[in-house]
Amino acid sequence: MVRIIWTNTAKNDYWQNIEYLEREWTLQDVYNFIDKTDTLIELLTRQNVIFKSSNYKNVFQIPVTKQITLYYTIVDNDNIELLRFWNTYQNPEKFKL
């Protein structure tokens, strides 16, 4: 099974998105985001799947929700590194990996 490595940026993005959902949306929206994230990570660890390429070399993207995209890279056959949980409503000029 593939091991998932969370970068500090991915962890911070993840928790900031949860905090935003708690403030502005419902608890059910928070649970949906967490469940969708868990499902996608489970898919990455158990199956040989690669999602859409991004504009960055060796970086792929998965829509978690309509507003949040997960960016990741495949380190090697045994490791996937989560890079960002980017909220697409943010200024795209601030996006950095």
Side-chain angles (χ1 to χ4, degrees):
M1 181 165 29
V2 174
R3 188 180 96 177
I4 299 295
I5 302 164
W6 288 68
T7 62
N8 286 335
T9 304
K11 288 178 193 176
N12 289 337
D13 287 346
Y14 179 78
W15 288 110
Q16 285 175 359
N17 281 304
I18 289 175
E19 289 170 2
Y20 170 77
L21 290 170
E22 287 175 331
R23 272 192 323 272
E24 303 293 330
W25 296 85
T26 67
L27 196 53
Q28 188 59 49
D29 292 313
V30 174
Y31 293 147
N32 287 342
F33 172 69
I34 292 169
D35 289 344
K36 287 178 182 180
T37 300
D38 290 346
T39 299
L40 289 172
I41 290 173
E42 184 70 20
L43 226 143
L44 287 171
T45 61
R46 298 203 177 268
Q47 309 212 358
N48 187 16
V49 293
I50 296 178
F51 289 90
K52 181 181 173 187
S53 293
S54 71
N55 294 334
Y56 297 88
K57 186 178 179 180
N58 298 323
V59 175
F60 303 93
Q61 60 187 29
I62 313 168
V64 180
T65 67
K66 185 178 175 182
Q67 301 84 4
I68 300 169
T69 302
L70 167 60
Y71 289 85
Y72 73 94
T73 188
I74 300 170
V75 178
D76 54 41
N77 288 337
D78 298 324
N79 297 291
I80 291 176
E81 186 173 52
L82 305 183
L83 303 171
R84 297 292 312 253
F85 283 88
W86 180 254
N87 186 319
T88 57
Y89 289 147
Q90 295 179 79
N91 182 346
E93 292 177 9
K94 294 183 178 181
F95 181 80
K96 293 181 182 159
L97 290 179

